Each structure stands twice: as C-alpha cells, then as structure tokens.
Amino acid sequence: MDFSPEHNYFFRVSDCFALLPEIWGGWEHEYIDPNSATTTLGAGATSITDTYRVPGIAQDRAVLGAGLTTIIKNKYEVYGRYDERLWDGGHLSQFSLGLSVKF
C-alpha cells in the first residue's frame, strides 16, 4: 500500500489500513461587531430591518482541536474531529464525523 506523502505521521495497522492522529491550534478574529448586527426580512414590497445583539461570542477566540483519520486502501478516509473555541467568559465545543472518497 502506497500512502501519499502528506501522511507523514500515520500508524500502519495493515497493508490496507492506517491511522493518522492530528492536533491543531490557532486564533480566530470576528470582524463583525458581536454586539450588534442588522438583519432584513422582506415579504413582497414590505421589508423590516432590525438590529439585534449576538450574545456570548467574543471577537477573539483561541481554537484547539484533535482528530483521528482512518485511511483505508489509500482511497477512503473516515475521520472524527473535536474542536474547542475558548474566549474570556465562554467556550464552544464541536464534534464532527466525515467520510472522504478519492477518485
């Protein structure tokens, strides 16, 4: 089995199966003012514009995550990822699963 070069730190379980652990970190900045945003609702010739507060989201957040990808026959990848966004006074946790097929 010929694994592609971008998989530098995989653990080969068999000739057809490998595991690729991943960790990442970063920083996000929200350019939209989190204290107010404008939305417009339109129906026919009438529209309503309103300003509302987006609670609990800071403009700057640290992003940390970990994931595990299974590589099957160098064609299929099944992955699970966990992301955590941290800011002063709050956090957001997110988990995702996915499948990738290469043609």
Side-chain angles (χ1 to χ4, degrees), residues 3-60:
F3 289 103
S4 54
E6 67 265 11
H7 299 137
N8 295 327
Y9 301 104
F10 63 84
F11 297 97
R12 186 183 306 243
V13 178
S14 71
D15 287 340
C16 298
F17 187 79
L19 298 173
L20 176 66
E22 302 167 279
I23 59 170
W24 55 88
W27 193 260
E28 286 182 341
H29 178 77
E30 184 66 57
Y31 288 96
I32 297 174
D33 182 6
N35 295 316
S36 67
T38 302
T39 183
T40 302
L41 172 65
T46 306
S47 67
I48 301 168
T49 302
D50 194 12
T51 301
Y52 64 94
R53 184 168 169 11
V54 181
I57 297 177
Q59 283 190 286
D60 292 299

Side-chain angles (χ1 to χ4, degrees), residues 23-25 28 62-67 80-86 91-96:
I23 59 170
W24 55 88
E28 286 182 341
V63 180
L64 305 170
R81 298 208 179 2
Y82 175 77
D83 288 304
E84 186 71 30
R85 284 167 170 74
L86 304 167
H91 71 95
L92 174 67
S93 302
Q94 190 173 0
F95 182 75
S96 60

